[in-house]
Amino acid sequence: MRTVIIEPVFESWRQSARNLLALRVPPSDVLWCEDAQEPTLFGLENETLPRVAVPNVPSAFLDMARSVASHTDARRWSVLYRVLWRLTHGEERHLLAISTDSDMRQVQLWCKAIGRDIHKMHAFVRFRLVGNDEITGREQFVAWFEPEYRIVRLGAGFFEKRFAGMDWSILTPHECVHWDGSAMHFTPGVPRSAAPDDDALDGLWRTYYRSIFNPARLKVRAMQAEMPKKYWKNLPEASVIAELIAESGGRVEKMLTTESRPAKPAPKNAYLDSLRKMNTLASPSLPSTKGS
Amino acid sequence: MELQQKLEILADAAKYDASCASSGAARKDSRGGKGVGSTGGAGICHSYAPDGRCISLLKVLLTNACLYDCHYCINRRSSNVQRARFTPDEVVQLTLDFYKRNYIEGLFLSSGIIRSADYTMELVIDVARKLREEHHFRGYIHLKTIPEASPSLIELAGRYADRISINIELPTQEGLTKLAPEKNLARTQDAMGHIRNKIDERHADNRKPGAPKPLPFATGQSTQMIVGADDSSDAVILRRADVLYGNYHLRRVYYSGFSPIPEPSLLLPIKAPPLVREHRLYQADWLLRFYGFSVDEITTDAVPNLDLHLDPKLAWALRNRAVFPADVNKASRESLLRVPGLGVRNVNRILSARRYTRLRLADLLRLRVPMKKVMPFIITADHNPARLGLDDEALRARFLPPPRQAELDFDTPTAAASDIDSVRTGEM
């Protein structure tokens, strides 16, 4: 049994996996360990790597592995290596097509969790205006976000495409990303206190959130399924959720007891007259539907 | 009036429109441009209200003053609701301010009809034009259009918008005559036909090489039907939807359960919104679009309304037990799509995996297929449902909610979380 210590990032795993593959080390003989401080190729360092070509694997596998690397489950390195081994040495070149295989299924579930985390980042980042660049005059925005996994690099491209016309930074506990109009830069994570707390527009946004809510259709569970509570502390609109829920019963009650309004007579209006005239003329042909 | 008060009134006025999509737009982004904005991905829900609905667009009316008197609508002329009107610049600024903070995917702009259809359309178009041309906005724009507006204005709306829509509101002319006297079903469908032709023409992929690029036009149109305001059955609603999908190539038909409004009409007393019925209609809509079902299979003359207790695919399967069981290792894609509990994605996974392996129950379990639901309808390498008694009349009873739940008032929200999820993903 070999112990392989890697940095918990894709490139580090990839390097070690290529070496192990070249030495034809089967997955059952490898113990994968993470150590950001002391990544070594312990277990491999005394061996001369044979100069053999690393077998090609489908690019879909590399995409999946890159995504899974951002997960936090400690088993991911060994499962990835096992899938890699089966693809290359296990005569299971079709493994990626078999979602019912337990290794493949596990990899897919990890990918799904990462995809969801990235999606939530795209949805729930809230930029706050902090000023304008003194020279270019460009607006500058800063956001604070707490992803579940280390997905900043995977998710940042979306913001570059969408917000190219403004300067922005997204700060997270793991890693930060900055855009200045020409390139993205990545810096280490920062604490929450480094980001601004609010924005002058938050009040208007809460006004909108209150008004778009329909109290007659209260479905709190459906809301929380898509917007779990863990995100609420960084969403300006979340502070009014409790009161909207509490008020909804009374608001519906009030509607039910409001007296119905009779129809008012139509005002004098040339356009309404023309509509009435059109309605009395033969209608254009209407595709028939049975029973209508 | 303060901007905040206008927003309060004009967002409240827009919330009964169920459309929320921000997907399906042509791919564009702000790189190399002067503004912000991108579209072309799956669309993002930036927030959720406690009614469980997604918030992806700034959905407002330009004004809630209206000449029409649609009795289900809070903005009808007979309503005593407070009126307000945005200036085009106010909507433009709100859209940009909200967009830059990543609150929204873009703008959904509609309006009460003032003065005339053309006058109103011009105001709505002006907002979109300013966003696109003056502010280089490349985010999503959905414009509501009016069937009676001039074709040239609808064409202009389509140039700036990613999606345009006309709400059909009710599936029959009789319903409209009673509840929305200014609206006309034939004119609405006519306008949808013109929009469809425009979309087809501008997005045709048979352009000759070197031919000039056609002017931009929205990539899709959608509509909404209100459920439970008139007495139309689900069969009538779904047949109308089928015509709209078939003849006019709508991207989406939204179903909006008639919901109490603070200004009820004498003609239309308010009641709790039929949320379960609305949910079943969405499931049926998915069966029409993605599962190969026809309307006549989902609703019958004898039973024109969907079963509120069972999802429509399961209800169909129970009526058609003779076609089951389906062998997951052999059955066609079409047959597998009809198995209750198998969604499009899992059918694709099954078809892919079975080329290399014989599928067993444990394989389906790993795909998180709901086993209790599928087992009476499938054969696997290690399972044949004969011993479950597929022909047993008690099978339907297995799937009904327990008696206590069956007594619940189905006008109140009772759809299970998994049901809600299935509406979102389309997995049945």
Side-chain angles (χ1 to χ4, degrees), chain B residues 73-102:
Chain B
C73 179
I74 182 160
N75 307 308
R76 69 188 185 283
R77 65 169 186 261
S78 296
S79 155
N80 287 341
V81 74
Q82 190 179 6
R83 309 289 172 168
R85 180 171 173 174
F86 279 128
T87 65
D89 284 329
E90 284 171 334
V91 182
V92 166
Q93 199 54 48
L94 265 179
T95 305
L96 293 172
D97 282 344
F98 278 13
Y99 196 88
K100 288 176 184 174
R101 282 153 185 83
N102 204 39

Side-chain angles (χ1 to χ4, degrees), chain A residues 94 96-102 105 108-109 112 116 119-129 139 141 158-166 179 199-205 207-227 235-237 240-241 244-245 251-252 255-267 269-272 275-276 278-279 283-292, chain B residues 3-4 7-8 11-12 15-16 29-31 35-38 43-53 55 57-60 67-69 71 76-80 94 97-105 113 115-117 146 148 172 174 181-182 184-187 189-190 236 239-240 243 247-248 257 259-266 270 273 275 278 296 349 352-353 355-357 359 363 366-368 413 415-417 420-421 424:
Chain A
H94 306 295
L96 297 191
I98 308 174
S99 300
T100 51
D101 176 85
S102 42
R105 190 61 192 150
Q108 286 176 353
L109 289 175
K112 196 174 161 192
R116 184 177 161 90
H119 186 75
K120 293 301 178 194
M121 178 186 181
H122 295 166
F124 298 148
V125 153
R126 295 286 182 264
F127 285 115
R128 274 92 198 235
L129 182 65
E139 287 177 311
F141 290 86
F158 164 85
F159 295 97
E160 181 192 347
K161 287 182 193 151
R162 177 158 291 191
F163 299 108
M166 61 194 217
W179 167 257
D199 184 282
L201 261 290
D202 285 350
L204 270 181
W205 173 238
T207 298
Y208 177 69
Y209 186 81
R210 281 173 200 276
S211 287
I212 207 70
F213 163 60
N214 182 347
R217 302 177 54 106
L218 195 64
K219 280 190 186 179
V220 177
R221 257 197 334 181
M223 166 184 66
Q224 280 181 212
E226 294 300 332
M227 195 167 81
L235 293 170
E237 65 271 29
V240 300
I241 290 174
L244 287 178
I245 294 170
R251 288 172 68 186
V252 174
M255 291 180 213
L256 290 166
T257 53
T258 302
E259 208 182 319
S260 301
R261 313 278 184 220
K264 287 180 189 164
N269 174 279
Y271 174 67
L272 284 185
L275 277 186
R276 267 189 293 271
M278 272 194 271
N279 285 349
S283 295
S285 62
L286 190 64
S288 67
T289 56
K290 272 190 289 172
S292 64
Chain B
L3 182 65
Q4 181 173 343
L7 179 60
E8 201 176 305
D12 190 83
K15 73 178 164 207
Y16 301 98
D29 66 53
S30 59
R31 287 177 301 179
V36 292
S38 62
I44 296 168
C45 301
H46 285 273
S47 193
Y48 286 82
D51 51 22
R53 285 182 160 179
I55 300 176
L57 302 168
L58 170 62
K59 192 190 290 179
V60 288
L67 283 170
Y68 287 17
D69 211 20
H71 290 275
R76 69 188 185 283
R77 65 169 186 261
S78 296
S79 155
N80 287 341
L94 265 179
D97 282 344
F98 278 13
Y99 196 88
K100 288 176 184 174
R101 282 153 185 83
N102 204 39
Y103 299 156
I104 53 169
E105 290 287 284
I113 293 168
R115 206 173 302 178
S116 72
I146 308 165
E148 290 79 14
T172 67
E174 299 85 85
E182 285 81 15
N184 180 283
L185 186 61
R187 287 201 301 269
Q189 292 197 155
D190 244 29
V236 170
R239 279 174 198 149
R240 178 61 57 200
V243 167
N247 294 3
Y248 308 104
S259 165
I261 48 175
E263 286 282 321
S265 161
L266 262 181
I270 59 176
L275 297 181
E278 176 191 290
D296 294 337
R349 290 184 183 121
S352 170
R355 286 187 287 152
Y356 308 105
T357 175
L359 295 172
D363 292 313
R366 266 194 292 276
L367 296 180
R368 296 186 180 169
I420 291 158
D421 200 48
R424 189 175 50 81

